[in-house]
Amino acid sequence: MNNFRDTILVAVIKYKSIIRRELPSTSYSKKISKLDIRSKTVIVAEDTKLYRSGQMIISDLRIRSSNVNGKKSNPHHGTKLLLQYLEKIMANYYIEDGQVISRIHRASHALMETVQLIAQMGDNGLTQGEIIQIKCHADVVAYHGNNDQKKLFLKALNGCHQHLTQYFCAKLYPSQPPYSLAK
């Protein structure tokens, strides 16, 4: 099992215990069937299905935590905690080409590829193809990377290629003037 699967399965179990306390048994069974998180199906489900189930659970938890039909709902404290936990976890993943991908791992891979391209750079500098590859990696790190990864990416580009550094900074800080290395 992978980290995503383990994390979502634990969240599904917690969600089921919360709604089991809040709903009558017939409503509980209908809810579990509607979300397709019955014990037998969720254990063997593909990661993309678990990802979508996680999104549906978040939607349900948001409804439970908000005002419904003008009435203030009084959600169980665990409902709010589970909602926050699931939102944080789901923000770290996305679906690409039918697979659940970790944003951090995707950015790390792009960072490593860039470092390798720069390390292999000859005396003539980067080829046009390598520049295009690094720009693609810059897009990935800017969109999916955390602050540490973004700093490392900038550090790898520093002194290597002024144009690429400016390109990456424009992706990170689109509303600021162009970045200058001379500070």
Side-chain angles (χ1 to χ4, degrees):
M1 283 196 188
N2 62 39
N3 191 33
F4 173 76
R5 172 174 280 283
D6 294 343
T7 304
I8 291 299
L9 288 175
V10 168
V12 166
I13 291 167
K14 289 180 182 180
Y15 171 76
K16 288 169 72 172
S17 73
I18 288 171
I19 62 169
R20 183 175 288 129
R21 281 180 266 153
E22 294 179 359
L23 297 175
S25 69
T26 55
S27 299
Y28 168 80
S29 296
K30 286 179 186 176
K31 177 67 79 175
I32 297 302
S33 293
K34 180 181 174 186
L35 296 176
D36 202 16
I37 54 172
R38 295 178 306 267
S39 295
K40 291 179 183 178
T41 58
V42 78
I43 298 288
V44 296
E46 293 182 12
D47 287 354
T48 54
K49 185 179 178 321
L50 289 173
Y51 182 87
R52 288 185 183 92
S53 293
Q55 289 176 321
M56 290 189 296
I57 290 171
I58 287 172
S59 295
D60 186 61
L61 291 172
R62 284 181 181 150
I63 290 168
R64 292 178 178 288
S65 301
S66 67
N67 293 344
V68 181
N69 297 330
K71 298 177 187 175
K72 278 248 188 201
S73 68
N74 189 11
H76 182 270
H77 182 66
T79 302
K80 290 180 182 179
L81 290 175
L82 182 59
L83 175 60
Q84 291 169 354
Y85 174 74
L86 257 176
E87 286 174 331
K88 184 177 177 183
I89 294 303
M90 295 297 283
N92 291 321
Y93 295 91
Y94 69 102
I95 295 179
E96 181 182 278
D97 296 330
Q99 293 185 323
V100 177
I101 307 292
S102 165
R103 292 182 188 280
I104 299 295
H105 289 129
R106 179 82 161 99
S108 291
H109 180 74
L111 178 60
M112 293 285 286
E113 295 257 330
T114 299
V115 168
Q116 288 173 349
L117 284 170
I118 291 169
Q120 295 170 2
M121 180 175 60
D123 293 337
N124 296 331
L126 297 168
T127 66
Q128 193 61 33
E130 291 168 333
I131 290 172
I132 291 169
Q133 281 183 300
I134 291 175
K135 282 185 175 183
C136 289
H137 295 320
D139 293 343
V140 170
V141 173
Y143 186 72
H144 296 296
N146 61 29
N147 287 335
D148 289 338
Q149 289 170 319
K150 292 172 185 177
K151 288 176 187 174
L152 283 171
F153 196 89
L154 263 177
K155 191 174 181 179
L157 291 179
N158 194 11
C160 157
H161 201 281
Q162 180 72 25
H163 173 71
L164 288 173
T165 303
Q166 289 175 346
Y167 176 86
F168 184 63
C169 288
K171 289 288 182 181
L172 287 178
Y173 315 108
S175 62
Q176 294 181 358
Y179 176 77
S180 172
L181 289 176
K183 283 190 176 182

